[in-house]
């Protein structure tokens, strides 16, 4: 009986020691900062729209590295379609960012400091190209959506070829070219005028989407708001090897096509 008592006392002593020392190793406080801001064209001051895919390891994410840790792993911060980003669970400290999943060149100055509490930081970047003077409208006579614009390459010494332009559409405000796009277009047989290849920088272009074609039924079958945006891809000289698109703003058409307006995103939501 004494052996059992002694053994039980030894277990209690071990547990007491463990609770006092072995399990008191996690003293790190939780995240103490929040950050939000915009991806901004360094030359025009306008937001840089992106194509968003789900997941923090997919295209359309801002890659961030937090310094000061033994393992400085890359983090993926989500960016909204209009170029807004936010993260409410970060630590105050020194960071750097990478644009390898965004349609922008990597800038030389890519570091920033997050202070405890709320932080607002716009990130100035140079997009691969810009869509200039976009006009998206409905032609009642032909029953087509028409998008007129030109494309400017931002650095002719780098990505200087406009390899693709496309008119993208969706029944929701989230519109991309590869993702969230109901316009089926291969540039040849299916909606051939909705996507063009190898256009000249600066050339005025008009893309067309026929609302009466059977392959467009998913987009035009029901009376509802519809959303469109223009996409352009610039590449060349080894730049934009991942074939990322730059975008125009998103435009909303009323169900009967009688009105069209640019979508204005609420920055206070983030």
């Amino acid at each position: 009986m004494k052996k059992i008592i002694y053994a039980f006392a030894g277990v209690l002593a071990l547990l007491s020691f463990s609770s006092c020392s072995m399990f008191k190793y996690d003293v790190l406080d939780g995240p103490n900062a929040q950050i939000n801001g915009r991806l901004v064209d360094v030359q025009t001051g306008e937001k840089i729209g992106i194509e968003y895919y789900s997941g923090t390891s997919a295209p359309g994410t801002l890659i961030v590295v937090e310094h000061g840790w033994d393992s400085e792993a890359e983090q993926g911060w989500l960016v909204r379609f209009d170029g807004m980003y936010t993260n409410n669970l970060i630590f105050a400290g020194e960071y750097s960012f990478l644009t390898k999943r965004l349609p922008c060149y990597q800038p030389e100055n890519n570091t920033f400091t997050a202070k405890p509490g709320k932080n607002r930081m716009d990130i100035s970047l140079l997009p691969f190209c810009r869509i200039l003077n976009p006009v998206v409208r409905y032609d009642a006579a032909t029953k087509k959506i028409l998008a007129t614009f030109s494309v400017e390459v931002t650095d002719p010494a780098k990505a200087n070829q406009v390899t693709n332009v496309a008119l993208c559409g969706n029944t929701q405000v989230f519109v991309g070219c590869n993702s969230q796009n109901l316009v089926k277009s291969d540039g040849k047989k299916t909606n051939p005028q909705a996507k063009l290849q190898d256009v000249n920088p600066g050339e005025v272009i008009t893309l067309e989407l026929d609302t009466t074609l059977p392959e467009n039924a998913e987009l035009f079958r029901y009376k509802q708001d519809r959303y469109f945006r223009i996409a352009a891809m610039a590449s060349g000289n080894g730049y934009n090897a991942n074939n990322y698109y730059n975008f125009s703003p998103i435009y909303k058409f009323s169900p009967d096509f009688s009105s069209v307006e640019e979508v204005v995103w609420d920055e206070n939501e983030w």
Side-chain angles (χ1 to χ4, degrees), residues 100-113:
K100 58 185 179 181
R101 294 183 190 151
L102 297 172
C104 308
Y105 295 106
Q106 176 68 32
E108 293 183 4
N109 183 12
N110 69 327
T111 60
F112 63 92
T113 301

Side-chain angles (χ1 to χ4, degrees), residues 19-121:
S19 63
C20 293
S21 57
M22 291 180 62
F23 297 138
K24 285 190 175 181
Y25 62 87
D26 187 0
V27 296
L28 182 66
D29 293 331
N32 62 347
Q34 309 86 42
I35 190 169
N36 72 353
R38 308 175 300 167
L39 307 184
V40 178
D41 188 321
V42 67
Q43 295 177 343
T44 68
E46 298 180 349
K47 287 188 293 184
I48 300 174
I50 58 95
E51 177 157 23
Y52 168 74
Y53 295 78
S54 61
T56 55
S57 62
T61 53
L62 178 68
I63 304 303
V64 176
V65 177
E66 182 181 0
H67 300 296
W69 299 88
D70 292 337
S71 177
E72 297 183 344
E74 294 182 353
Q75 309 171 28
W77 290 7
L78 298 180
V79 180
R80 198 166 62 177
F81 280 79
D82 66 330
M84 289 288 298
Y85 76 93
T86 189
N87 193 330
N88 291 324
L89 294 172
I90 69 170
F91 292 96
E94 302 296 321
Y95 291 81
S96 61
F97 64 86
L98 304 171
T99 62
K100 58 185 179 181
R101 294 183 190 151
L102 297 172
C104 308
Y105 295 106
Q106 176 68 32
E108 293 183 4
N109 183 12
N110 69 327
T111 60
F112 63 92
T113 301
K115 299 178 181 180
K118 293 183 178 180
N119 295 266
R120 171 68 184 231
M121 186 189 70

Side-chain angles (χ1 to χ4, degrees), residues 9-266:
V11 171
L12 289 178
L14 178 60
L15 290 175
S16 176
F17 172 77
S18 298
S19 63
C20 293
S21 57
M22 291 180 62
F23 297 138
K24 285 190 175 181
Y25 62 87
D26 187 0
V27 296
L28 182 66
D29 293 331
N32 62 347
Q34 309 86 42
I35 190 169
N36 72 353
R38 308 175 300 167
L39 307 184
V40 178
D41 188 321
V42 67
Q43 295 177 343
T44 68
E46 298 180 349
K47 287 188 293 184
I48 300 174
I50 58 95
E51 177 157 23
Y52 168 74
Y53 295 78
S54 61
T56 55
S57 62
T61 53
L62 178 68
I63 304 303
V64 176
V65 177
E66 182 181 0
H67 300 296
W69 299 88
D70 292 337
S71 177
E72 297 183 344
E74 294 182 353
Q75 309 171 28
W77 290 7
L78 298 180
V79 180
R80 198 166 62 177
F81 280 79
D82 66 330
M84 289 288 298
Y85 76 93
T86 189
N87 193 330
N88 291 324
L89 294 172
I90 69 170
F91 292 96
E94 302 296 321
Y95 291 81
S96 61
F97 64 86
L98 304 171
T99 62
K100 58 185 179 181
R101 294 183 190 151
L102 297 172
C104 308
Y105 295 106
Q106 176 68 32
E108 293 183 4
N109 183 12
N110 69 327
T111 60
F112 63 92
T113 301
K115 299 178 181 180
K118 293 183 178 180
N119 295 266
R120 171 68 184 231
M121 186 189 70
D122 291 344
I123 299 176
S124 296
L125 302 171
L126 185 64
F128 294 131
C129 65
R130 298 187 191 95
I131 296 170
L132 301 182
N133 304 315
V135 177
V136 182
R137 62 186 181 89
Y138 176 70
D139 185 354
T142 61
K143 296 184 179 181
K144 292 181 179 180
I145 304 292
L146 304 178
T148 302
F149 61 99
S150 62
V151 181
E152 175 186 43
V153 294
T154 59
D155 191 340
K158 295 179 179 178
N160 57 7
Q161 303 169 23
V162 182
T163 51
N164 284 291
V165 292
L167 178 59
C168 314
N170 201 356
T171 55
Q172 301 180 14
V173 69
F174 310 109
V175 185
C177 191
N178 296 311
S179 174
Q180 307 292 334
N181 184 18
L182 294 180
V183 178
K184 308 295 190 299
S185 176
D186 57 10
K188 297 177 181 179
K189 297 180 180 179
T190 306
N191 291 313
Q193 297 304 311
K195 185 175 183 180
L196 300 176
Q197 296 179 331
D198 299 324
V199 302
N200 296 320
E203 176 186 358
V204 177
I205 304 162
T206 298
L207 299 177
E208 301 180 1
L209 180 62
D210 191 337
T211 64
T212 66
L213 292 179
E215 55 261 41
N216 297 327
E218 187 176 0
L219 186 56
F220 300 112
R221 179 182 291 116
Y222 304 107
K223 282 194 174 182
Q224 57 190 328
D225 291 336
R226 301 171 186 88
Y227 300 85
F228 295 90
R229 75 194 304 199
I230 303 163
M233 180 193 301
S235 59
N237 299 310
Y239 292 93
N240 194 18
N242 291 320
N243 296 326
Y244 292 151
Y245 282 93
N246 289 102
F247 291 91
S248 73
I250 296 174
Y251 300 93
K252 182 178 76 171
F253 280 80
S254 61
D256 61 357
F257 302 106
S258 61
S259 66
V260 58
E261 61 183 6
E262 180 179 332
V263 174
V264 178
W265 298 79
D266 185 0

